[in-house]
């Protein structure tokens, strides 16, 4: 991914540090850590902080395909990992608070009632309670062509690397849960066919609208909440202690995907686009109707049956994604319904 434009002192200093080589950056790293500590003391909304979310996004990107011009040795440089942990801690605390508010009072199974089916029932119940603002209905019935492009820009930050954060969990699971995750991910990656990978299908949708389909092409355009949605996945996927959370995240993702994707496809068809553009959404209507059962019962449910102590983390992952998606949806709809771009003010609206 090309280096993004910094959004404040932390991201500016971070991008300056990683432009050099880890072996000669000891003093710069010390300064970066001091800067992060000072800046975090004044942050009141870390989920919505552009500077913090971009810095975290870039730090996580070192574990994906990397950043253009940044030496690969930075990925596991201890001083930089410490910076990431400094940012992760308050981010996770904010996510847990938002997740508790989204989850409300849940009647969780315990003891002999803690079966895979019981866990799946809780997750399906959560998915059914998702009554936040509906971007999919707006896209289906009202969105202009420009708003459809903005929608794709927001989604592209994750969709062009779809499934990668969840794949990190495979070596951290065993037995039934591992087999379930591999089954889901095999579909996400096109069953061995590169052209059928879901990220490739999404790229085709973008090309159909004349948009840049290179990964990270629109990072500068999206607000902090769009980055936070992806950072949540990276946080849970990259940290083994949160393996329960990444399974809960994926379960809710699959359980709340099929019907919205049907509506998204309808929105693009309303503007005259054919199957070449809508294939990505149409594929998810069918695939996720199957995946939701596997993710709920065999993946998340199977994991909790094997490791009952991970139930709370599974619920955290599920409710955190609901909280972040609700906030992102509210931002999109408030912008569009008032005739504004949902992209950052400093970036022109999608053409």
């Amino acid at each position: 991914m090309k280096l993004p434009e910094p959004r404040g002192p932390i991201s500016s200093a971070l991008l300056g540090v990683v432009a050099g080589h880890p072996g000669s950056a000891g003093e710069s790293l010390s300064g970066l850590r001091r800067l992060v500590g000072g800046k975090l003391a004044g942050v009141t909304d870390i989920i919505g902080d552009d500077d913090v979310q971009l810095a975290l996004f870039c730090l996580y990107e070192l574990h994906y395909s990397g950043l253009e011009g940044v030496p690969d040795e930075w990925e596991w440089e201890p001083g930089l990992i410490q910076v990431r942990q400094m940012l992760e801690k308050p981010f996770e605390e904010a996510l847990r608070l938002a997740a508790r508010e989204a989850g409300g009072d849940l009647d969780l199974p315990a003891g002999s009632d803690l079966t895979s089916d019981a866990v799946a029932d809780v997750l399906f119940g959560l998915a059914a309670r998702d009554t936040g603002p509906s971007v999919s209905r707006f896209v289906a019935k009202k969105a202009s062509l420009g708003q459809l492009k903005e929608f794709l820009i927001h989604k592209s930050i994750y969709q062009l690397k779809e499934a990668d954060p969840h794949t990190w969990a495979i070596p951290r699971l065993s037995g039934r849960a591992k087999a379930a995750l591999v089954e889901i991910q095999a579909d996400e990656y096109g069953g061995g066919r590169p052209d059928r990978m879901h990220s490739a299908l999404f790229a085709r949708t973008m090309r159909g609208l004349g948009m840049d389909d290179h990964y990270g092409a629109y990072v500068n355009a999206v607000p902090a909440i769009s980055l936070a949605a992806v950072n949540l996945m990276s946080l849970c996927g990259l940290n083994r202690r949160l393996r329960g959370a990444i399974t809960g995240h994926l379960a809710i993702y699959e359980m709340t995907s099929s019907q919205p994707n049907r509506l998204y496809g309808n929105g693009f068809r309303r503007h005259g686009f054919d199957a070449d553009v809508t294939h990505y959404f149409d594929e998810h209507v069918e695939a996720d109707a199957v995946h939701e059962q596997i993710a709920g019962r065999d993946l998340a449910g199977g994991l909790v049956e094997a490791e009952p102590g991970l139930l709370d983390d599974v619920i955290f992952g599920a409710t955190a994604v609901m909280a972040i998606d609700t906030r992102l949806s509210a931002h999109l709809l408030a912008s569009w319904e008032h005739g504004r771009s949902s992209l950052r003010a400093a970036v022109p609206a999608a053409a």
Side-chain angles (χ1 to χ4, degrees), residues 132-141 143 151 263-264 325 328-330 332-333 336:
S134 177
V135 172
S136 59
R137 284 195 292 271
F138 185 95
V139 167
K141 298 180 179 180
F151 169 70
L263 294 173
Y264 293 144
D325 281 1
L328 175 57
S329 296
L332 295 177
L333 293 178
W336 293 340

Side-chain angles (χ1 to χ4, degrees), residues 33-306:
R33 288 193 294 271
R34 289 192 297 270
L35 177 65
V36 170
K39 170 69 187 290
L40 287 176
V43 173
T44 57
D45 176 20
I46 195 167
I47 293 174
D49 189 283
D50 272 302
D51 193 22
V52 170
Q53 292 303 326
L54 179 62
L56 259 178
F57 184 84
C58 290
L59 287 167
Y60 287 135
E61 197 57 37
L62 297 177
H63 300 286
Y64 290 104
S65 58
L67 296 168
E68 187 176 68
V70 174
D72 289 341
E73 289 83 357
W74 277 112
E75 181 183 4
W76 293 111
E77 206 290 323
L80 202 61
I81 295 297
Q82 185 178 2
V83 171
R84 196 190 83 202
Q85 291 172 331
M86 291 175 69
L87 296 171
E88 280 182 333
K89 186 174 186 296
F91 179 49
E92 183 179 340
E93 291 172 351
L95 289 171
R96 289 190 179 276
L97 176 60
R100 286 194 295 272
E101 293 173 350
D105 295 327
L106 288 175
D107 184 18
L108 299 180
S112 60
D113 294 329
L114 197 56
T115 65
S116 61
D117 284 343
V119 173
D121 287 345
V122 171
L123 292 172
F124 277 112
L126 274 172
R129 284 167 47 181
D130 185 12
T131 57
S134 177
V135 172
S136 59
R137 284 195 292 271
F138 185 95
V139 167
K141 298 180 179 180
K142 298 181 180 180
S144 65
L145 179 58
Q147 288 165 343
L148 290 182
K149 291 184 176 183
E150 287 191 15
F151 169 70
L152 293 179
I153 286 174
H154 288 282
K155 287 183 71 68
S156 72
I157 307 305
Y158 166 63
Q159 248 53 74
L160 290 175
K161 64 178 178 189
E162 185 172 354
D164 289 351
H166 302 105
T167 298
W168 273 326
I170 292 175
R172 289 146 183 198
L173 306 179
S174 61
R176 180 183 179 188
K178 179 177 230 166
L181 182 53
V182 169
E183 182 177 358
I184 293 171
Q185 297 303 81
D187 284 347
E188 300 289 345
Y189 292 124
R193 293 178 54 185
D195 60 313
R196 292 191 60 83
M197 292 173 61
H198 288 182
S199 57
L201 297 180
F202 189 83
R204 192 168 79 183
T205 294
M206 297 187 76
R207 291 194 301 273
L209 273 74
M211 302 173 69
D212 190 339
D213 67 340
H214 289 91
Y215 174 66
Y218 295 103
V219 165
N220 292 326
V222 300
I225 186 60
S226 297
L227 297 178
V230 184
N231 288 341
L232 164 62
M233 290 184 238
S234 298
L235 168 71
C236 295
L238 189 58
N239 288 280
R240 181 183 177 277
R241 64 182 176 83
L242 294 174
R243 62 194 181 280
I246 196 65
T247 64
H249 182 289
L250 181 56
I252 283 294
Y253 238 49
E254 302 293 348
M255 291 173 178
T256 58
S257 173
S258 186
Q259 180 59 20
N261 274 295
R262 187 187 305 278
L263 294 173
Y264 293 144
N266 290 342
F268 283 85
R269 279 184 282 270
R270 179 169 56 85
H271 281 271
F273 293 105
D274 61 17
D276 197 51
V277 165
T278 65
H279 187 184
Y280 172 83
F281 304 107
D282 299 337
E283 171 76 10
H284 282 72
V285 172
E286 296 185 13
D288 292 349
V290 176
H291 288 173
E292 67 178 19
Q293 295 294 331
I294 301 171
R297 302 185 190 284
D298 298 315
L299 174 57
L303 177 62
V304 173
E305 270 196 1

